[in-house]
Amino acid sequence: MSKYITKTNYERSNEQIPQISIIILNYNAGDLLIDCVDSILKSNYKNFEIILVDNISKDGSHDKCKEKFPEIKLIKNSENLGYCEGNNVGIRIAKGEYIVILNPDTIVHPDWISELLSAFIKNGDGIYQPKFLATTDHSMLLSTGNMIQIFGFGYSRSKGDKDKGQFEKFEKINFASGTCIFTSKKILDKIGLFESFLFAFHDDFELCWRGALIGINSFYVPSAIVYHPIEGYSFRWSPLKFKLLERNRKYCLLTLYSRSTFFKMIPGLLLIDIAVLFFYLSKGMGRMKISADLEILRNLKKINEKYEQNQKIRQVKDKELLNQFKNEVIVPKWVIKDKTNILFNRFLVVISKITRIFL
């Protein structure tokens, strides 16, 4: 553990340790928000500020939280800016050397900040995430690192599995979960903030992939523990979520892969698109699939501008990143039935392997 965060040091003087800005974006989180902030204030690490950004909640949870914890900073947005721009508001005013993005429905272990900071100091520049366990069942894993499938699907490794100590190794991952992200202000200055066009979903995916383009990797820290509901309180599996997931998946493919890579993937992408359409139709979400595709077409100019920006900063080739990306998508049983998951993954793996031959 770093000299900055030993118990003796932080009890002696907060000036000896770096300040951390914890940004919580709230949207009608209710009492979950109170519980979250209460757990943060019980952290063993003490030099931090809490910035609560509210996206015009109607339940009064933000005001209630500020009343109970007057030391927090409260920012009230005049409209719902979504996950991306909502968090950007907090990042811009943050005073800390390090930044934490934290969901309001989480409960943190007392050592969470110390462990994340120790990992950063030991391993260097990167975007870090803790181990996520279910709030209601601390033996259930919710994420031990997030993975990217080559056609732009993201998933949480080990979600729904029993924690048997099988993921206790610090390691590089494809992207860190936006439920709790730890990094430095300097890193965000290099990478840039969350992509506001996305609004929500694939936001962490896009940020970390963009970081990977310039050699800033993502890491999983098993010694840092954060508890989270099995499914987040916001959006859940709504029509809007289905739409944003598909729209943002394509946005990432079009802005983060080189054109050479993307064009070589087109046959595989078309086959996958047909499979996704049938999946959306089976969920009664066919209109959301069409709406997502139309929004991509309407924003091609913006997408091309973002693509050009990403290519200018690129230091890592697609081939190196593709070697780290996966062929399959592993999701828990409560999201997709076993039979559907097995059939889709078999199809996905075959198309992925064939596509890789031409890359």
Short mmCIF file of all heavy atoms in Angstrom, two decimals, residues 5-6 10 44 74 79 86 89 93 102 114-115 117 124-125 138-139 149 169 197 207 250 252 269 306 319 321 345:
data_model
loop_
_atom_site.label_atom_id
_atom_site.label_comp_id
_atom_site.label_asym_id
_atom_site.label_seq_id
_atom_site.Cartn_x
_atom_site.Cartn_y
_atom_site.Cartn_z
N ILE A 5 -1.48 6.52 1.81
CA ILE A 5 -2.79 6.11 2.31
C ILE A 5 -2.71 5.11 3.45
O ILE A 5 -3.62 4.34 3.67
CB ILE A 5 -3.65 5.54 1.17
CG1 ILE A 5 -2.87 4.52 0.36
CG2 ILE A 5 -4.09 6.65 0.25
CD1 ILE A 5 -3.65 3.94 -0.78
N THR A 6 -1.63 5.11 4.18
CA THR A 6 -1.59 4.30 5.38
C THR A 6 -2.47 4.94 6.45
O THR A 6 -2.74 6.13 6.43
CB THR A 6 -0.15 4.19 5.92
OG1 THR A 6 0.29 5.50 6.29
CG2 THR A 6 0.78 3.59 4.90
N TYR A 10 -3.24 9.14 7.11
CA TYR A 10 -4.49 9.88 6.94
C TYR A 10 -5.09 10.31 8.25
O TYR A 10 -5.93 11.21 8.30
CB TYR A 10 -5.49 9.15 6.04
CG TYR A 10 -6.15 7.90 6.57
CD1 TYR A 10 -6.99 7.91 7.68
CD2 TYR A 10 -5.98 6.69 5.89
CE1 TYR A 10 -7.63 6.76 8.12
CE2 TYR A 10 -6.60 5.54 6.33
CZ TYR A 10 -7.42 5.58 7.44
OH TYR A 10 -8.05 4.45 7.87
N ASN A 44 -12.63 4.67 5.19
CA ASN A 44 -11.41 4.85 5.98
C ASN A 44 -10.53 5.96 5.42
O ASN A 44 -9.78 6.59 6.16
CB ASN A 44 -10.63 3.54 6.03
CG ASN A 44 -11.35 2.48 6.84
OD1 ASN A 44 -12.09 2.80 7.77
ND2 ASN A 44 -11.17 1.21 6.48
N LEU A 74 -24.00 20.25 -3.98
CA LEU A 74 -25.17 19.87 -4.77
C LEU A 74 -25.29 20.78 -5.99
O LEU A 74 -25.31 22.00 -5.87
CB LEU A 74 -26.45 19.97 -3.93
CG LEU A 74 -27.77 19.76 -4.69
CD1 LEU A 74 -27.83 18.38 -5.34
CD2 LEU A 74 -28.96 19.96 -3.74
N GLU A 79 -32.15 20.53 -16.68
CA GLU A 79 -32.79 19.50 -17.50
C GLU A 79 -32.06 18.19 -17.27
O GLU A 79 -30.98 18.15 -16.69
CB GLU A 79 -32.74 19.89 -18.98
CG GLU A 79 -31.32 20.07 -19.51
CD GLU A 79 -31.30 20.46 -20.97
OE1 GLU A 79 -31.95 19.75 -21.77
OE2 GLU A 79 -30.66 21.47 -21.31
N GLY A 86 -24.36 14.62 -17.54
CA GLY A 86 -24.60 14.84 -16.12
C GLY A 86 -23.33 14.64 -15.31
O GLY A 86 -22.99 15.46 -14.44
N VAL A 89 -20.69 17.42 -15.90
CA VAL A 89 -20.92 18.63 -15.10
C VAL A 89 -20.14 18.55 -13.80
O VAL A 89 -19.48 19.51 -13.37
CB VAL A 89 -22.43 18.82 -14.82
CG1 VAL A 89 -22.65 19.89 -13.75
CG2 VAL A 89 -23.16 19.20 -16.10
N ILE A 93 -16.14 20.67 -12.33
CA ILE A 93 -15.93 21.50 -11.13
C ILE A 93 -15.14 20.76 -10.06
O ILE A 93 -14.87 21.33 -8.99
CB ILE A 93 -17.28 21.98 -10.54
CG1 ILE A 93 -18.06 20.81 -9.94
CG2 ILE A 93 -18.11 22.71 -11.57
CD1 ILE A 93 -19.10 21.25 -8.94
N LEU A 102 -19.58 7.47 -9.39
CA LEU A 102 -20.25 6.46 -8.57
C LEU A 102 -21.76 6.54 -8.73
O LEU A 102 -22.34 7.63 -8.61
CB LEU A 102 -19.87 6.64 -7.10
CG LEU A 102 -20.37 5.58 -6.12
CD1 LEU A 102 -19.67 4.23 -6.37
CD2 LEU A 102 -20.13 6.03 -4.67
N SER A 114 -9.18 3.52 -0.55
CA SER A 114 -7.77 3.18 -0.29
C SER A 114 -7.26 2.13 -1.27
O SER A 114 -6.15 2.23 -1.79
CB SER A 114 -7.61 2.68 1.14
OG SER A 114 -7.94 3.69 2.07
N GLU A 115 -8.10 1.12 -1.53
CA GLU A 115 -7.68 0.04 -2.42
C GLU A 115 -7.58 0.51 -3.87
O GLU A 115 -6.64 0.13 -4.59
CB GLU A 115 -8.65 -1.14 -2.31
CG GLU A 115 -8.64 -1.83 -0.95
CD GLU A 115 -7.28 -2.42 -0.59
OE1 GLU A 115 -6.53 -2.80 -1.51
OE2 GLU A 115 -6.97 -2.52 0.61
N LEU A 117 -7.04 3.64 -4.91
CA LEU A 117 -5.92 4.56 -5.00
C LEU A 117 -4.59 3.81 -4.94
O LEU A 117 -3.65 4.12 -5.69
CB LEU A 117 -5.99 5.60 -3.88
CG LEU A 117 -4.88 6.66 -3.85
CD1 LEU A 117 -4.80 7.42 -5.18
CD2 LEU A 117 -5.09 7.62 -2.70
N GLY A 124 -0.06 2.64 -12.14
CA GLY A 124 0.05 3.75 -13.07
C GLY A 124 -1.23 4.14 -13.78
O GLY A 124 -2.33 3.67 -13.44
N ASP A 125 -1.07 4.98 -14.78
CA ASP A 125 -2.21 5.56 -15.49
C ASP A 125 -3.17 4.49 -15.99
O ASP A 125 -2.76 3.46 -16.55
CB ASP A 125 -1.72 6.38 -16.69
CG ASP A 125 -1.04 7.67 -16.27
OD1 ASP A 125 -1.09 7.99 -15.07
OD2 ASP A 125 -0.47 8.35 -17.14
N HIS A 138 -24.20 -10.91 -0.84
CA HIS A 138 -22.78 -10.58 -0.97
C HIS A 138 -21.92 -11.72 -1.50
O HIS A 138 -20.72 -11.56 -1.71
CB HIS A 138 -22.23 -10.11 0.38
CG HIS A 138 -22.81 -8.81 0.83
ND1 HIS A 138 -22.45 -8.19 2.01
CD2 HIS A 138 -23.72 -7.99 0.25
CE1 HIS A 138 -23.13 -7.06 2.14
NE2 HIS A 138 -23.90 -6.92 1.09
N SER A 139 -22.54 -12.87 -1.75
CA SER A 139 -21.81 -13.97 -2.36
C SER A 139 -22.00 -14.00 -3.87
O SER A 139 -21.41 -14.83 -4.56
CB SER A 139 -22.27 -15.31 -1.77
OG SER A 139 -23.61 -15.60 -2.16
N GLN A 149 -17.09 -7.27 -26.96
CA GLN A 149 -17.20 -8.23 -28.06
C GLN A 149 -16.89 -7.49 -29.36
O GLN A 149 -17.20 -6.31 -29.49
CB GLN A 149 -18.61 -8.83 -28.08
CG GLN A 149 -18.74 -10.14 -28.83
CD GLN A 149 -18.92 -9.93 -30.33
OE1 GLN A 149 -19.28 -8.85 -30.77
NE2 GLN A 149 -18.65 -10.97 -31.10
N LYS A 169 -7.49 -11.71 -8.62
CA LYS A 169 -6.25 -11.24 -9.23
C LYS A 169 -6.46 -9.88 -9.89
O LYS A 169 -7.39 -9.70 -10.68
CB LYS A 169 -5.76 -12.25 -10.27
CG LYS A 169 -4.47 -11.86 -10.98
CD LYS A 169 -4.11 -12.90 -12.04
CE LYS A 169 -2.86 -12.48 -12.81
NZ LYS A 169 -2.54 -13.45 -13.88
N PHE A 197 -23.33 12.72 -26.62
CA PHE A 197 -24.31 12.22 -27.60
C PHE A 197 -24.93 10.90 -27.15
O PHE A 197 -26.10 10.62 -27.41
CB PHE A 197 -23.64 12.03 -28.96
CG PHE A 197 -24.52 11.35 -29.98
CD1 PHE A 197 -25.48 12.07 -30.67
CD2 PHE A 197 -24.39 9.99 -30.24
CE1 PHE A 197 -26.31 11.45 -31.60
CE2 PHE A 197 -25.20 9.36 -31.18
CZ PHE A 197 -26.16 10.09 -31.86
N LEU A 207 -15.77 5.47 -23.38
CA LEU A 207 -14.69 6.21 -22.73
C LEU A 207 -13.43 5.36 -22.63
O LEU A 207 -12.33 5.82 -22.95
CB LEU A 207 -15.13 6.65 -21.33
CG LEU A 207 -14.08 7.42 -20.53
CD1 LEU A 207 -13.97 8.85 -21.04
CD2 LEU A 207 -14.42 7.41 -19.04
N LYS A 250 -23.57 1.00 -32.28
CA LYS A 250 -23.16 1.34 -33.64
C LYS A 250 -22.33 2.62 -33.67
O LYS A 250 -21.39 2.75 -34.46
CB LYS A 250 -24.39 1.47 -34.54
CG LYS A 250 -25.04 0.12 -34.79
CD LYS A 250 -26.13 0.17 -35.83
CE LYS A 250 -26.59 -1.24 -36.17
NZ LYS A 250 -27.67 -1.26 -37.18
N CYS A 252 -20.24 3.53 -31.41
CA CYS A 252 -18.88 3.14 -31.00
C CYS A 252 -18.13 2.47 -32.15
O CYS A 252 -16.94 2.75 -32.39
CB CYS A 252 -18.94 2.23 -29.79
SG CYS A 252 -19.47 3.05 -28.27
N LEU A 269 -21.01 -7.75 -39.76
CA LEU A 269 -21.89 -6.79 -39.09
C LEU A 269 -23.31 -6.89 -39.63
O LEU A 269 -24.29 -6.77 -38.88
CB LEU A 269 -21.36 -5.37 -39.27
CG LEU A 269 -20.12 -5.01 -38.45
CD1 LEU A 269 -19.51 -3.69 -38.92
CD2 LEU A 269 -20.48 -4.91 -36.97
N LYS A 306 -16.46 12.87 -35.03
CA LYS A 306 -15.89 12.18 -33.86
C LYS A 306 -14.86 11.14 -34.30
O LYS A 306 -13.82 10.97 -33.65
CB LYS A 306 -17.01 11.51 -33.06
CG LYS A 306 -16.55 10.92 -31.74
CD LYS A 306 -16.07 12.00 -30.79
CE LYS A 306 -15.65 11.41 -29.45
NZ LYS A 306 -15.23 12.46 -28.51
N LYS A 319 -5.66 -3.95 -34.56
CA LYS A 319 -5.27 -5.36 -34.43
C LYS A 319 -4.90 -5.70 -32.99
O LYS A 319 -5.26 -6.77 -32.48
CB LYS A 319 -4.12 -5.67 -35.37
CG LYS A 319 -3.78 -7.16 -35.43
CD LYS A 319 -2.75 -7.45 -36.53
CE LYS A 319 -2.48 -8.94 -36.63
NZ LYS A 319 -1.50 -9.26 -37.70
N LEU A 321 -5.97 -4.16 -30.29
CA LEU A 321 -7.18 -4.12 -29.47
C LEU A 321 -8.06 -5.34 -29.73
O LEU A 321 -8.62 -5.92 -28.80
CB LEU A 321 -7.96 -2.84 -29.75
CG LEU A 321 -7.25 -1.53 -29.39
CD1 LEU A 321 -8.09 -0.33 -29.80
CD2 LEU A 321 -6.96 -1.48 -27.89
N ASN A 345 -25.02 -17.07 -29.03
CA ASN A 345 -23.57 -17.08 -28.85
C ASN A 345 -22.87 -18.01 -29.85
O ASN A 345 -21.78 -17.71 -30.32
CB ASN A 345 -23.21 -17.47 -27.41
CG ASN A 345 -22.80 -16.26 -26.60
OD1 ASN A 345 -22.05 -15.41 -27.06
ND2 ASN A 345 -23.29 -16.16 -25.38
#
